[in-house]
Structure formats: C-alpha cells, structure tokens
Amino acid sequence: MSEFEPKIIIFLCNWCSYAGADLAGVSRYQYPTNARTVRVMCSTRVSPQIVLELLKDGADGVMVTGCHPGDCHYINGNYYTERRMEMAHRLLKLTGLESQRLRLDWVSASEGEKYAGVVTDFVKELKGLGPNPVHKDAKLASRLKAAVDASKNFRLKVLSSKEINLISKGNAYGEKINQQSVEGIMEQATEDEFKASLILQLTNKKSQSVKELAKELGEPTDRTIEHVVSLRSRNLLALDHIDGATPKYKAIVTGGA
Amino acid sequence: MSEDARVGVFVCHCGTNIGGCVDVPKVVEYAKTLPHVVFATSNLYTCAEDGLSSIRDSIKENNLNRVVVAACTPRTHAPLFQSTCEEAGLNKYLFTFVNIREQCSWVHMKEKDSATEKAKELIKMGVARVELLEPQEEVQIEVIPSAVVIGGGVAGMAAAISLADQGFPVRLVEREKELGGFVRNLGYIWQERREAVGALSSMIRRVKNHRNINLYLDSEVVAAEGFIGNYEIVIDTHGEQKKDKVGVIVVATGALEYIPEGLYGYEQYDNVITLTEFEILAKNKKLPKLSSLAFIQCVGSRGQDKSYCSRICCNVTLKNAMNLADNWKNMLGLEEAGKVVESIPVEKAIPAEIAERRRGRMGRRDREAGEKDEAEVAPTRLDIAVFNRDIMSYGIEHELTYNKTKEKKVRFIRYTPQNRPKVSHEGDKLVIDYWHDTMQMQMKMMVDMIVLATPLVAQPDAKEISRMLKVPLGQEGFFLEAHVKLRPVDFATDGIYVCGTCKGPADIPEAVAQGMAAASRAAIPLARGYVQPESLVAFVDSDVCSGCGTCIEICPYNAIRKNAEGVAEITVAACKGCGNCGASCPKNAIIMNHYTDNQILAEARAALQAVNG
C-alpha cells in the first residue's frame, strides 16, 4: 500500500444516518473502505470528549452524523450535537491539529447517495491532509490531551449544553442572551479552559515558571499569570519551589480520573 | 466486567451477498485470534434455522457469555439474534451486531481485499464492545388498547375497520368533510365497471356504523407525544381541541396528483386535463363531447420532474381507454333511449367543474373559463391514442387488458424523453407534434382533448406529520417504512405504522391490503397488552452527581427530576435513551446503559489499532 489510507471513525445515529448508510448499501453506492462506523442511538450521545479522545489516539478523521435539524428522533438531540461539536472544533483549533479532521454532517434515512458522497469526500480531504501527526509530535499530543481534559471541564460542559436554552429561553432570571454574546462567552471560556488544561499538562511532571508556560501557550506572561492564579485558587496548581527569583509551579495530581 | 468474557463470533456469508466479496473464512480465522474470543464460525445464512441453532448450541457447548454476529444490519435482524441468545439463556444485551453487508460488502464490491480487512476490523470493534456490555433487565409497560388512524381514504378505512373488528376502539381522523380520500375522484373501478363511489360507500357505511370506530371528520391530529402503547394525541376539529390517549398510530394520509404546470399546454389550452380531472369528469358524466382524444403518459414523472414511476397511471389510462372504446356513447352522455347517434357534437370548452377545481387550488391564479365554442359535427367514432414511453401494465390481468385495448384500435405511440410530443393549438383542435419512431418521421395528430397521466405525489404537509411523529420521509416526500421488503408497513419507531399512498403510489387493492396489514401489525401490541421497551435508559450515579441540573434542563422528555437528596434521578418509563444527558453531565455522573463512554470508546479505539494477519 503506497498511498496513505486514512483511518476514519464515523458515528451514525440509529434512526437516520445508520439507515442512510444501510440504504447506500442496498442501493450499491460504492465508497472508499476507510470508514469504521460506530452506531449510537442519537448523535447527541457523542460528546466532544469522545471525538477528541479518538483524534488524540491517532484517528485521521472523525465524523459525527445525525438526523437533519428538525428531524431528530429524540426531538432536538441533534441541536445539542451541533453546539457540542462546535465546542470540539474550537478546542481542536487551539491544539493546532487541522480542525477539518472533525466533521459533522446530517444524513437522513433516505440519503444513501449522500452518505456515500460524504464519506468519499471526507476520505479525499483527509488524503490531502495526510496522516494525523499526533504520534510523532509530542507537543501536539500534549495539546490534544489538554483539549480532552478541557472538554470534560465542568464549566465548558454546562455552557455547551445550555447554549441553546440561553438563546431561546433565557438564563435563570429569564433574560435571553443573544447568539453573538453566547458565542463570545463560549469562545473565551473554551480558550481559558484549554489553556488552564494545557498548563496542568505541562506542569504535570515537571514544574514550570510563568515565563516558560507563557512561551508554550504563546501568549503574554500577564495572561498566563491570570490562568496560574485561577488554577491556584481552584486548588489545581501549587507553587513547587522558587528557582532563584523565579517561582515554579506544579500541577496537583489527584488520584483517579 | 465481573466474569471473564467468553465471546462467540458468527460470520454470515449471506449466500454470496457477503461471501462473494469478503473472504469469510479468512475473517473467521482472524476472529479466532481476538482476545476473549473462544469460538468463531461462519454460516451460509446465520439468520436461517441452522445458523440460529449453531448460535444456540455454541452458547451451551462453549459456555459463551457474549455473542457477536457479523452479517447484515441490526435495523432488521438484531431482534432475531437477540431472541436466539435469550433462548439459549443469554441476556440479549450481551449481544453485538456487526454490519458487514450494507456497510461493507455491498459498498466495496470491487475492493475485495480491503473489504475483507474492513470486515476484520469491524468485528474487532464489535468484540471490543461486546466484552464491556452488561446484562440489562427490561420493564413491561402497559399498552392503552386503542388506536388512532390518520386519514380516511381506502387504506385508512381498511385499517380502521380491521382494528375495530378485532375489538379495539379506533379514532379515525379525516381532514376532509367526507371519507374516501383520493378514490372519491374516480369514475369507474378497474374491470368491474363498477362506480368507485358505489364500492366506497359500503366501506364508508361500515366505518360510520361501527361501534368501535369514533369518526372525526374535518379534523386533524395536531400533536402526538409518547411512545408505543402510550401516546397522548390532540385532535383538532375546527379549532376545538380534544386530548386523547391511544396505544398505536396508523398513518394513512394519502397522496395528491401532480399538477403539470407548464407541461404539454396544461392551463394554456382548455381540454388539456390531468388523468384525475378526466376521472372526475367521467364520474360526473360531464365529459365534453369529443371525437378524438390522446393520453400522454409519464407526465412529470420518470425524470421529467419527479424521479420515480408512479406505476398505477398506465393501468388507469388503459382502464379509461378501454372504457372509452367500449362505452364512449354512455361516457360522453350521447346515449338516449332509442336514439342512434349519428355524429358527436364536439365541445371545446373546459368543463366548469374542472375550472372550478383548478381555481380552488391554493396559490393558483384565477383564470377565466374559456368561452364555449359552438358544437360541431364530427364523425361517429372516438379516436383514442396513448402516447407512452413504455406501457407498464403490471398485475396479473392487466397485460391482457393492454392487448385487448390494442384490439379496440386504441393507438399506442411511443416517445422518448429526448423527443417528447409537443402540444399546440390550431383552429379549434389541439395539435400533437410527435416523432414517429418506426416511421422515422415527424407527424401531427389533431385531437379534441389531451389527458396527461401525472404521477401521485406526496402530500406537501407530510413533513408536519413526519416531524410530529418523528418518522422519516424519503427523498420524494413519501413516508419511509422501516424496511422496504421485510417491514413494509412499520415505521422504524415502534407503535407507528404506515399504509396506502402516503408511502408511495398504490392502486386500490394494494392500498386496502396495506391498510389491513398495518392494522394487523398494530394489533400485536394492542392484543398482547404490554410492551417491553429496550432497556436503553440513563442512570445517575448519585454519589457523583452535584445536582447542577444541566441534564434536567436539556432532557427532551422531562424524564429527569431532582430527588429529595438534591441529585438527579431518571424516570425510567419516560427515558428514551438518547444520551443527551450523558453527554452533557459536567460530573460524568450519568451513565447511558448499553452506550457508556467506555463501550463507545473501546469500540472506536479498536479500529485505530492495526490489524495483523
């Protein structure tokens, strides 16, 4: 095998996309053999953590498919999928891995041809991108690990699930928040939590100074100090020792996952 | 996992469907090398009795506690293999289905090597998943023993009568003020020369007089919530809303005729009408006096606009051509007692009835009815021509009728999609310009009327019912059944059934048969009295839950509440198992039974490790 054959994981919702993939078979629409499918009842089951874990583990591409908006078998599950995958995309961009490696698409039970087309197109795009470099790039690996950690973060999970209601129904006080501000909040929160997770990653084994961390994070030291202060107040980061005049920090490792 | 997994893998050849592409023996040998696999074999057809008994026997002989079947699709065959596992004493949730037909052999027909590799990996993924599965217990939920049938055409009425005859109360909801649906338009029923209205009326009488049928005319089902055995519906009659509870739902909302806007002079020339309009005129004895007419088949279908063949139109045209040839004096209202018709006084104007019907169509501009020409004298013969791409007179007797129709001197003229006949107007005649394929020349035909055989099309508001009931539509807007061959009147969603032309063009016997079939499928849960929904529900680890309430806010079924301890609790009967709460839980305290993070990740990760051998 001379040509690079990407390894793709595709999540199919039971009611629409899995049936669409079956219809592609019944209709004999041919597509490349790269797809490895996982059936779930609803696309909403697929959390950002799951897709990011797989990219971290070396999948060349991950696709999540579900019913078209409005057609979800579970009323509105796919709207949540859409918001959560948006969050996963934001995290992915922060890691530096091509965010095209994660795709979300809608395939209905009657769209066998579309399914074959979507897979073919994804394979083509991934061939263009080449293999997922995570296993050869330790820095990328630790950033992807940080993205996985961030995707499990309390604040991001609550926000990404509440986005829809914040816009349509309003917050606890009944105040509706417009889409633009919600997206702004999400953007900022995602970046903050990713960087916090990355600091914990970097200081997991070896203590680091703010200056060293700022370099890794690619941002000014004063922003990094804010993250460090916040992490210290959340009892996740501690002062390890002072090297000359430079304080070095280390993550507080707690047992379990 | 408390016990060591002992996995059995059964790989199906499916005749040559899988075996013709995937190297099944090689796949079996590979499966044997996978961790925890203690038995692997192949079957010619795993779903046949010898395949099933091989599963049952190996569970016992090899002490299997997990089973993987690699075959077709779980959407049709999972229940069969699950019950086979249960027969051998294995909990049905310890089974995993691997799809190597629809999603492998059928879509990689020319790549046998990599399809074989893919099948291996898919099985590896299935084995990784099955190891982590846990047995689940199912709860029984009582079924409300009544049904609602949406649509009072022949299919809906057949379904309602059949269910009512079996003793189940039925609500039959019809949008129009009358029962009968599309068939009300028709003149004569095929062959019998019986008036359609007559045949309908016996059905309508049974519906109206049945003590188990509650008829809601001029009404619509506007809301439906719940699940098999327990649906809450709202029936709206002129703004008056009535709530009701039913166990099952039968969808029989029918179809419409395609309006051939801009095709073959429709709406441009009077006397260019659709086949359905012709039926209405024939039924009401309002056909204008004619000396010649032509049918044009496949108007707007088979690629001209809609992709499909509506399949019933050829037979309908044959029926009308035959009737006209045999019986034209009566059909044109020229038969008066003792009077011999010497000539036909031809009328050119569009009958008022049709003009009225067209005006009534939504979004259609008003048009003035053409002025009546004076009757003229014409020969005492009715010339009938049928322009067609090919006549598909499917069914046992219809080919013979086709032949008889030809004997009656009905002319069948073929056209190709590249060379469609063109309609214009000359004097007081309609002119059809067409290419005669046998003579290889351009020809002209003058006729008094052109009848366009247009396809049945989906109801434009089928989408609303599709959304309300969460059942899918196909690409042409017709409802999509669970399986075209094996489950033709079921929806994939349990408790909802489909019949008649809302799932595609059908003639009357087919629509009635489908109605009866849907009724018998719907009667299964009603007669059994309970359902045992799959135990795919969420579970909250109360030690981990922080009581943040995110899941409560987003659950589409309001199936989660905060209990006395301030933590989330799932109402099992209301949970449908979508997994939204599981993906949202900020503390990872919610576990989706049968689709846990670990199970999903193990399955997917197995694909990321290279296959050897």
Side-chain angles (χ1 to χ4, degrees):
Chain A
M1 278 208 291
S2 52
E3 199 186 1
F4 159 63
E5 291 296 338
K7 187 60 68 73
I8 303 169
I9 307 291
I10 301 184
F11 290 97
L12 299 166
C13 83
N14 182 61
W15 303 96
C16 291
S17 306
Y18 197 93
D22 276 355
L23 183 62
V26 172
S27 322
R28 307 296 195 279
Y29 290 120
Q30 305 294 299
Y31 56 81
T33 58
N34 309 57
R36 302 291 177 265
T37 50
V38 177
R39 183 171 70 115
V40 288
M41 296 312 282
C42 179
S43 63
T44 191
R45 175 69 196 85
V46 186
S47 56
Q49 183 203 336
I50 289 175
V51 296
L52 291 168
E53 290 262 17
L54 294 171
L55 290 167
K56 182 202 75 173
D57 291 347
D60 295 308
V62 176
M63 179 150 69
V64 179
T65 57
C67 310
H68 283 268
D71 291 350
C72 177
H73 182 79
Y74 300 98
I75 301 174
N76 57 4
N78 50 2
Y79 288 100
Y80 291 95
T81 313
E82 202 260 328
R83 294 326 301 159
R84 295 199 186 110
M85 288 306 123
E86 181 64 32
M87 179 182 110
H89 264 127
R90 287 196 175 107
L91 284 167
L92 212 49
K93 280 186 190 132
L94 292 164
T95 66
L97 185 68
E98 300 94 343
S99 67
Q100 305 96 291
R101 292 187 189 272
L102 172 62
R103 254 201 207 193
L104 172 67
D105 217 323
W106 312 125
V107 176
S108 81
S110 65
E111 291 176 330
E113 192 174 8
K114 176 175 178 185
Y115 179 75
V118 164
V119 176
T120 308
D121 186 65
F122 196 30
V123 170
K124 198 174 145 203
E125 175 162 31
L126 290 168
K127 282 187 175 174
L129 289 176
N132 179 347
V134 63
H135 292 318
K136 288 178 189 152
D137 182 345
K139 211 165 161 183
L140 176 63
S142 93
R143 290 176 89 88
L144 276 164
K145 179 80 178 58
V148 170
D149 290 346
S151 73
K152 294 192 274 189
N153 174 273
F154 194 99
R155 179 170 159 224
L156 283 191
K157 284 193 103 166
V158 170
L159 274 175
S160 66
S161 292
K162 291 199 173 190
E163 262 184 86
I164 292 171
N165 282 351
L166 285 174
I167 294 164
S168 63
K169 290 183 193 152
N171 62 13
Y173 305 103
E175 301 160 344
K176 284 192 188 177
I177 300 173
N178 71 42
Q179 182 149 3
Q180 218 176 355
S181 4
V182 168
E183 297 211 342
I185 294 166
M186 278 307 296
E187 190 85 53
Q188 191 58 53
T190 312
E191 190 179 336
D192 287 349
E193 296 304 340
F194 173 75
K195 291 197 166 152
S197 299
L198 189 54
I199 291 174
L200 294 177
Q201 272 293 310
L202 296 167
T203 56
N204 189 16
K205 296 208 174 78
K206 196 173 134 232
S207 58
Q208 307 259 8
S209 71
V210 169
K211 209 169 183 177
E212 286 165 325
L213 288 171
K215 196 174 160 233
E216 282 292 329
L217 266 54
E219 64 177 12
T221 46
D222 53 347
R223 280 290 299 145
T224 308
I225 290 172
E226 284 173 30
H227 293 307
V228 167
V229 169
S230 156
L231 284 168
R232 288 190 69 185
S233 70
R234 284 151 71 186
N235 247 346
L236 296 168
L237 191 72
L239 179 64
D240 189 54
H241 64 278
I242 295 177
D243 184 7
T246 314
K248 294 258 199 169
Y249 299 94
K250 198 161 189 307
I252 299 172
V253 181
T254 50
Chain B
M1 197 173 40
S2 51
E3 39 173 359
D4 261 357
R6 295 177 59 81
V7 182
V9 178
F10 300 83
V11 186
C12 184
H13 282 270
C14 195
T16 56
N17 279 299
I18 295 169
C21 172
V22 169
D23 187 340
V24 173
K26 220 168 165 182
V27 171
V28 171
E29 285 315 304
Y30 170 74
K32 286 179 182 166
T33 67
L34 290 168
H36 300 290
V37 173
V38 295
F39 179 80
T41 189
S42 63
N43 315 98
L44 186 56
Y45 291 100
T46 312
C47 62
E49 185 41 44
D50 54 340
L52 299 177
S53 60
S54 98
I55 297 178
R56 280 189 293 260
D57 295 346
S58 340
I59 290 175
K60 287 177 188 143
E61 283 161 21
N62 300 291
N63 205 16
L64 302 179
N65 57 20
R66 299 286 189 283
V67 167
V68 171
V69 170
C72 47
T73 170
R75 287 175 55 85
T76 55
H77 280 66
L80 176 67
F81 297 125
Q82 285 178 322
S83 64
T84 305
C85 289
E86 280 188 321
E87 284 161 24
L90 188 66
N91 185 285
K92 73 181 216 189
Y93 291 88
L94 300 176
F95 161 81
T96 286
F97 209 121
V98 175
N99 184 332
I100 56 169
R101 191 180 74 176
E102 278 84 345
Q103 297 182 19
C104 190
S105 67
W106 278 355
V107 288
H108 311 309
M109 298 173 89
K110 288 181 185 144
E111 298 169 273
K112 297 190 177 183
D113 289 342
S114 46
T116 302
E117 288 309 299
K118 176 172 172 178
K120 285 181 186 173
E121 288 195 28
L122 290 171
I123 290 170
K124 186 182 179 199
M125 293 164 70
V127 170
R129 168 175 169 77
V130 84
E131 281 171 37
L132 299 177
L133 296 181
E134 301 273 353
Q136 307 289 340
E137 293 306 320
E138 290 179 344
V139 289
Q140 289 189 352
I141 297 175
E142 238 178 87
V143 167
I144 299 165
S146 64
V148 63
V149 177
I150 307 175
V154 284
M157 285 195 290
I161 292 170
S162 170
L163 282 165
D165 280 350
Q166 295 175 69
F168 302 111
V170 179
R171 286 87 169 127
L172 178 58
V173 183
E174 167 58 48
R175 183 155 67 177
E176 304 288 325
K177 293 189 175 73
E178 283 176 70
L179 287 168
F182 199 87
V183 178
R184 276 196 298 132
N185 293 326
L186 305 186
Y188 294 91
I189 291 183
W190 182 253
Q191 272 224 329
E192 296 175 62
R193 296 278 156 70
R194 257 174 84 188
E195 288 184 11
V197 177
L200 263 185
S201 60
S202 68
M203 236 178 161
I204 293 175
R205 216 171 23 248
R206 287 198 68 195
V207 167
K208 286 191 170 160
N209 295 334
H210 210 297
R211 64 191 170 91
N212 282 337
I213 299 181
N214 262 341
L215 183 58
Y216 294 85
L217 289 174
D218 207 1
S219 305
E220 286 183 63
V221 176
V222 291
E225 267 176 32
F227 51 95
I228 180 170
N230 299 268
Y231 284 105
E232 285 189 20
I233 57 166
V234 178
I235 300 173
D236 181 296
T237 310
H238 264 319
E240 196 183 309
Q241 300 208 330
K242 182 173 174 272
K243 278 191 184 165
D244 208 343
K245 286 188 173 181
V246 294
V248 293
I249 298 172
V250 177
V251 178
T253 50
L256 298 173
E257 64 171 324
Y258 174 85
I259 309 301
E261 274 173 352
L263 298 178
Y264 302 109
Y266 186 75
E267 291 206 320
Q268 189 181 353
Y269 310 121
D270 295 336
N271 275 4
V272 176
I273 63 175
T274 65
L275 195 49
T276 309
E277 289 168 344
F278 179 86
E279 289 274 355
I280 293 170
L281 291 176
K283 175 187 140 191
N284 296 341
K285 301 255 187 291
K286 291 283 172 62
L287 278 171
K289 311 291 184 285
L290 311 161
S291 65
S292 57
L293 102 172
F295 293 89
I296 302 180
Q297 298 302 106
C298 305
V299 175
S301 57
R302 299 180 69 198
Q304 193 173 20
D305 178 3
K306 301 291 171 184
S307 65
Y308 55 91
C309 162
S310 183
R311 85 197 185 114
I312 60 168
C313 352
C314 281
N315 284 340
V316 177
T317 292
L318 289 178
K319 171 191 77 175
N320 284 313
M322 186 80 174
N323 264 347
L324 280 168
D326 275 353
N327 207 15
W328 57 273
K329 287 179 188 168
N330 177 290
M331 287 182 79
L332 299 182
L334 296 169
E335 253 177 12
E336 284 173 39
K339 198 175 166 194
V340 179
V341 181
E342 292 293 340
S343 62
I344 307 172
V346 176
E347 294 169 354
K348 289 293 169 323
I350 186 165
E353 226 139 345
I354 293 302
E356 189 55 40
R357 185 167 179 271
R358 288 185 191 171
R359 267 199 293 276
R361 252 176 228 145
M362 283 212 306
R364 176 76 38 87
R365 61 193 151 51
D366 278 6
R367 66 197 301 281
E368 285 173 25
E371 282 174 28
K372 266 188 188 268
D373 289 345
E374 279 189 28
E376 67 172 49
V377 176
T380 57
R381 199 167 83 91
L382 181 62
D383 289 324
I384 307 167
V386 178
F387 287 86
N388 64 88
R389 287 172 57 183
D390 27 36
I391 292 289
M392 304 202 187
S393 50
Y394 81 107
I396 294 168
E397 74 276 31
H398 297 171
E399 187 69 14
L400 296 178
T401 319
Y402 175 30
N403 293 340
K404 272 191 218 155
T405 318
K406 283 195 267 191
E407 287 165 17
K408 303 277 179 192
K409 307 274 186 246
V410 173
R411 290 177 64 196
F412 287 86
I413 301 160
R414 288 189 74 162
Y415 73 86
T416 60
Q418 293 76 34
N419 244 335
R420 293 180 191 276
K422 287 182 183 59
V423 173
S424 58
H425 200 256
E426 213 176 286
D428 54 6
K429 287 269 184 190
L430 291 162
V431 182
I432 303 177
D433 265 299
Y434 64 100
W435 174 254
H436 198 296
D437 215 37
T438 319
M439 314 256 283
Q440 286 290 305
M441 60 189 284
Q442 199 67 27
M443 297 185 78
K444 258 187 192 181
M445 183 187 285
M446 314 282 261
V447 291
D448 294 324
M449 177 179 263
I450 295 176
V451 181
L452 305 178
T454 64
L456 284 181
V457 293
Q459 298 271 7
D461 49 2
K463 190 85 197 160
E464 283 164 33
I465 290 179
S466 148
R467 289 197 168 162
M468 180 175 77
L469 300 176
K470 301 290 161 201
V471 291
L473 294 176
Q475 255 161 355
E476 296 287 359
F478 291 105
F479 286 105
L480 198 64
E481 62 281 80
H483 189 283
V484 65
K485 294 190 179 98
L486 302 176
R487 293 175 66 193
V489 295
D490 296 356
F491 277 117
T493 309
D494 291 338
I496 310 181
Y497 309 87
V498 60
C499 56
T501 51
C502 67
K503 68 187 278 288
D507 64 12
I508 296 172
E510 287 166 343
V512 170
Q514 287 177 20
M516 289 173 171
S520 83
R521 294 291 292 165
I524 294 172
L526 298 181
R528 191 197 282 140
Y530 67 88
V531 286
Q532 208 163 299
E534 283 198 307
S535 181
L536 304 178
V537 292
F539 167 79
V540 180
D541 185 341
S542 56
D543 289 344
V544 183
C545 174
S546 67
C548 71
T550 305
C551 55
I552 299 175
E553 202 178 298
I554 64 168
C555 174
Y557 301 102
N558 294 320
I560 315 177
R561 60 190 180 84
K562 217 174 254 192
N563 68 12
E565 283 91 58
V567 296
E569 195 175 291
I570 312 276
T571 311
V572 172
C575 174
K576 303 270 168 55
C578 64
N580 197 359
C581 57
S584 79
C585 180
K587 298 289 277 184
N588 265 337
I590 297 183
I591 296 152
M592 278 309 305
N593 279 343
H594 214 55
Y595 288 94
T596 65
D597 277 5
N598 280 347
Q599 289 161 359
I600 292 173
L601 275 170
E603 184 178 354
R605 277 182 176 139
L608 299 180
Q609 296 141 19
V611 173
N612 301 311

